[in-house]
Amino acid sequence: MDVSLVDADDLRDITGLWLAARVDAGSSKEAAARAVTEGRLTTALRRPGVLAFVARLEGEAVGYAIATENPFGLSPTAELAIEQLWVGPDVRRHGVAKSLIGAVLTSAERAGCEIVVSNVPTTSRDANRFFARLGFSSTIVRRVVPTATLRRKLAPETCETGNEVMRRRRSLRSRAFAATRTL
Protein backbone atom coordinates (compact mmCIF):
# COMPACT_ATOMS: atom_id res chain seq x y z
CA MET A 1 0.00 0.00 0.00
CA ASP A 2 1.34 3.39 -0.98
CA VAL A 3 -0.21 6.67 0.20
CA SER A 4 1.08 9.99 -1.06
CA LEU A 5 0.20 13.66 -1.00
CA VAL A 6 -1.54 14.57 -4.26
CA ASP A 7 0.51 16.52 -6.76
CA ALA A 8 -0.26 17.62 -10.33
CA ASP A 9 0.43 14.11 -11.65
CA ASP A 10 -2.17 12.61 -9.30
CA LEU A 11 -4.94 15.04 -10.21
CA ARG A 12 -6.42 12.71 -12.83
CA ASP A 13 -6.46 9.79 -10.38
CA ILE A 14 -8.09 11.74 -7.55
CA THR A 15 -10.63 13.20 -9.98
CA GLY A 16 -11.64 9.70 -11.08
CA LEU A 17 -11.90 8.54 -7.47
CA TRP A 18 -13.87 11.64 -6.49
CA LEU A 19 -16.34 11.01 -9.33
CA ALA A 20 -16.75 7.39 -8.21
CA ALA A 21 -17.33 8.55 -4.62
CA ARG A 22 -20.01 11.03 -5.69
CA VAL A 23 -21.83 8.37 -7.71
CA ASP A 24 -21.42 5.90 -4.81
CA ALA A 25 -23.06 8.50 -2.55
CA GLY A 26 -26.08 8.79 -4.85
CA SER A 27 -25.23 11.63 -7.26
CA SER A 28 -25.79 11.09 -10.94
CA LYS A 29 -22.75 10.64 -13.16
CA GLU A 30 -23.78 13.76 -15.07
CA ALA A 31 -23.97 15.95 -11.96
CA ALA A 32 -20.61 14.69 -10.71
CA ALA A 33 -19.00 15.21 -14.12
CA ARG A 34 -20.45 18.72 -14.30
CA ALA A 35 -18.83 19.56 -10.95
CA VAL A 36 -15.46 18.42 -12.33
CA THR A 37 -15.96 20.29 -15.60
CA GLU A 38 -16.82 23.46 -13.69
CA GLY A 39 -13.50 23.08 -11.86
CA ARG A 40 -14.95 22.85 -8.35
CA LEU A 41 -12.71 19.97 -7.29
CA THR A 42 -9.53 21.51 -8.71
CA THR A 43 -10.33 24.88 -7.15
CA ALA A 44 -11.01 23.25 -3.76
CA LEU A 45 -7.77 21.28 -3.86
CA ARG A 46 -5.76 24.43 -4.57
CA ARG A 47 -7.07 26.36 -1.57
CA PRO A 48 -4.55 27.10 1.17
CA GLY A 49 -4.59 24.54 3.96
CA VAL A 50 -6.17 21.79 1.85
CA LEU A 51 -4.31 18.48 1.75
CA ALA A 52 -5.27 15.59 -0.51
CA PHE A 53 -3.90 12.06 -0.33
CA VAL A 54 -4.26 9.21 -2.77
CA ALA A 55 -3.85 5.53 -1.89
CA ARG A 56 -2.48 3.07 -4.42
CA LEU A 57 -2.66 -0.68 -4.34
CA GLU A 58 -0.34 -2.35 -6.82
CA GLY A 59 0.03 0.98 -8.60
CA GLU A 60 -3.70 1.57 -9.02
CA ALA A 61 -5.43 4.50 -7.27
CA VAL A 62 -8.03 2.95 -4.95
CA GLY A 63 -8.90 5.63 -2.39
CA TYR A 64 -8.41 9.21 -1.31
CA ALA A 65 -8.64 11.54 1.65
CA ILE A 66 -9.04 15.31 1.64
CA ALA A 67 -8.23 17.23 4.81
CA THR A 68 -8.14 20.89 5.82
CA GLU A 69 -5.95 22.54 8.39
CA ASN A 70 -7.93 24.28 11.14
CA PRO A 71 -10.96 24.71 8.85
CA PHE A 72 -12.60 27.61 10.71
CA GLY A 73 -9.75 28.84 12.85
CA LEU A 74 -12.13 29.05 15.80
CA SER A 75 -10.87 26.05 17.75
CA PRO A 76 -8.63 26.83 20.72
CA THR A 77 -6.21 24.14 19.52
CA ALA A 78 -4.85 23.49 16.06
CA GLU A 79 -6.77 20.75 14.25
CA LEU A 80 -6.83 18.89 10.97
CA ALA A 81 -10.28 17.96 9.64
CA ILE A 82 -10.85 14.97 7.36
CA GLU A 83 -13.38 16.41 4.93
CA GLN A 84 -13.67 13.38 2.67
CA LEU A 85 -12.45 9.80 2.90
CA TRP A 86 -13.39 7.26 0.27
CA VAL A 87 -12.15 3.81 -0.69
CA GLY A 88 -13.31 1.83 -3.71
CA PRO A 89 -15.88 -0.84 -2.80
CA ASP A 90 -13.78 -3.71 -4.14
CA VAL A 91 -10.79 -2.89 -1.88
CA ARG A 92 -12.56 -2.03 1.35
CA ARG A 93 -11.49 -3.92 4.47
CA HIS A 94 -7.91 -4.14 3.18
CA GLY A 95 -6.39 -1.35 5.29
CA VAL A 96 -6.68 1.39 2.66
CA ALA A 97 -8.68 3.77 4.87
CA LYS A 98 -6.33 3.19 7.81
CA SER A 99 -3.37 4.00 5.58
CA LEU A 100 -5.03 7.20 4.39
CA ILE A 101 -5.81 8.23 7.97
CA GLY A 102 -2.22 7.43 8.89
CA ALA A 103 -1.05 9.91 6.24
CA VAL A 104 -3.49 12.51 7.57
CA LEU A 105 -2.18 11.89 11.11
CA THR A 106 1.43 12.36 9.97
CA SER A 107 0.50 15.67 8.33
CA ALA A 108 -1.38 16.75 11.46
CA GLU A 109 1.64 16.04 13.63
CA ARG A 110 3.97 17.92 11.24
CA ALA A 111 1.63 20.93 11.30
CA GLY A 112 1.47 20.90 15.10
CA CYS A 113 -2.20 19.96 15.15
CA GLU A 114 -3.35 18.42 18.40
CA ILE A 115 -6.71 17.15 17.12
CA VAL A 116 -7.92 15.26 14.05
CA VAL A 117 -11.63 15.74 13.27
CA SER A 118 -13.95 13.91 10.90
CA ASN A 119 -17.60 14.48 10.04
CA VAL A 120 -19.23 11.09 9.63
CA PRO A 121 -22.80 10.68 8.33
CA THR A 122 -25.08 9.40 11.09
CA THR A 123 -26.65 6.99 8.60
CA SER A 124 -23.35 5.25 7.85
CA ARG A 125 -23.12 2.63 10.56
CA ASP A 126 -19.93 1.08 9.15
CA ALA A 127 -18.13 4.43 8.92
CA ASN A 128 -19.18 5.37 12.45
CA ARG A 129 -17.91 2.05 13.81
CA PHE A 130 -14.66 2.42 11.86
CA PHE A 131 -13.93 5.88 13.26
CA ALA A 132 -15.00 4.85 16.78
CA ARG A 133 -12.55 1.91 16.68
CA LEU A 134 -9.80 4.42 15.87
CA GLY A 135 -10.66 6.50 18.94
CA PHE A 136 -12.81 9.22 17.36
CA SER A 137 -15.59 10.24 19.72
CA SER A 138 -18.81 12.08 19.09
CA THR A 139 -18.64 15.68 20.28
CA ILE A 140 -21.38 17.49 18.37
CA VAL A 141 -24.48 16.81 16.35
CA ARG A 142 -24.42 18.60 13.01
CA ARG A 143 -27.90 19.36 11.77
CA VAL A 144 -28.72 20.28 8.18
CA VAL A 145 -31.83 21.76 6.58
CA PRO A 146 -32.84 22.65 3.01
CA THR A 147 -33.00 26.42 2.55
CA ALA A 148 -36.69 26.29 1.53
CA THR A 149 -37.61 24.49 4.75
CA LEU A 150 -35.64 26.93 6.85
CA ARG A 151 -37.28 29.90 5.10
CA ARG A 152 -40.71 28.38 5.76
CA LYS A 153 -39.87 27.84 9.45
CA LEU A 154 -38.40 31.31 9.93
CA ALA A 155 -41.20 33.22 8.24
CA PRO A 156 -44.34 31.07 8.22
CA GLU A 157 -46.57 34.06 7.52
CA THR A 158 -44.95 34.50 4.09
CA CYS A 159 -45.21 30.83 3.17
CA GLU A 160 -48.19 28.57 2.80
CA THR A 161 -48.75 26.42 5.84
CA GLY A 162 -49.31 22.72 5.58
CA ASN A 163 -52.99 23.21 6.45
CA GLU A 164 -53.48 25.72 3.63
CA VAL A 165 -51.85 23.39 1.14
CA MET A 166 -53.98 20.48 2.35
CA ARG A 167 -57.18 22.54 2.11
CA ARG A 168 -56.33 23.59 -1.45
CA ARG A 169 -55.57 20.00 -2.49
CA ARG A 170 -58.83 18.73 -1.00
CA SER A 171 -60.75 21.51 -2.73
CA LEU A 172 -59.19 20.64 -6.07
CA ARG A 173 -59.91 16.93 -5.55
CA SER A 174 -63.53 17.57 -4.66
CA ARG A 175 -63.97 19.76 -7.76
CA ALA A 176 -62.39 17.07 -9.94
CA PHE A 177 -64.64 14.43 -8.37
CA ALA A 178 -67.75 16.59 -8.88
CA ALA A 179 -66.77 17.19 -12.50
CA THR A 180 -66.49 13.43 -13.17
CA ARG A 181 -69.91 12.77 -11.55
CA THR A 182 -71.66 15.27 -13.79
CA LEU A 183 -70.31 13.69 -16.97
Side-chain angles (χ1 to χ4, degrees):
M1 173 82 50
D2 176 43
V3 176
S4 62
L5 203 56
V6 170
D7 59 18
D9 296 333
D10 297 319
L11 194 55
R12 173 182 255 165
D13 289 334
I14 199 164
T15 299
L17 292 168
W18 187 81
L19 284 167
R22 295 287 299 245
V23 171
D24 191 39
S27 288
S28 70
K29 289 181 182 180
E30 295 77 21
R34 192 170 41 255
V36 169
T37 303
E38 292 171 355
R40 282 191 271 164
L41 177 62
T42 307
T43 301
L45 293 176
R46 289 188 178 141
R47 288 186 186 132
V50 174
L51 304 169
F53 303 89
V54 65
R56 297 181 188 287
L57 196 58
E58 298 176 9
E60 182 183 342
V62 294
Y64 74 93
I66 298 174
T68 55
E69 295 176 2
N70 218 6
F72 299 111
L74 301 175
S75 177
T77 59
E79 63 183 40
L80 191 70
I82 300 170
E83 302 294 342
Q84 294 184 9
L85 175 69
W86 187 80
V87 176
D90 53 334
V91 293
R92 291 180 184 159
R93 301 193 187 277
H94 288 87
V96 177
K98 277 187 178 180
S99 295
L100 286 163
I101 291 177
V104 169
L105 173 61
T106 300
S107 291
E109 291 169 336
R110 282 188 194 141
C113 296
E114 298 176 26
I115 297 173
V116 176
V117 177
S118 182
N119 293 318
V120 184
T122 56
T123 57
S124 180
R125 187 176 66 193
D126 289 339
N128 276 288
R129 286 180 177 171
F130 171 76
F131 280 98
R133 280 194 307 273
L134 293 175
F136 285 78
S137 62
S138 180
T139 57
I140 63 169
V141 173
R142 184 176 182 185
R143 297 188 178 273
V144 298
V145 62
T147 54
T149 301
L150 184 57
R151 173 62 56 207
R152 190 171 56 250
K153 297 290 185 179
L154 287 174
E157 64 278 354
T158 62
C159 301
E160 284 187 303
T161 65
N163 290 337
E164 291 168 349
V165 171
M166 185 66 74
R167 248 183 266 129
R168 191 165 22 98
R169 284 182 187 160
R170 286 180 180 159
S171 174
L172 291 172
R173 268 192 234 134
S174 66
R175 282 187 219 154
F177 180 73
T180 58
R181 292 190 67 182
T182 57
L183 295 177

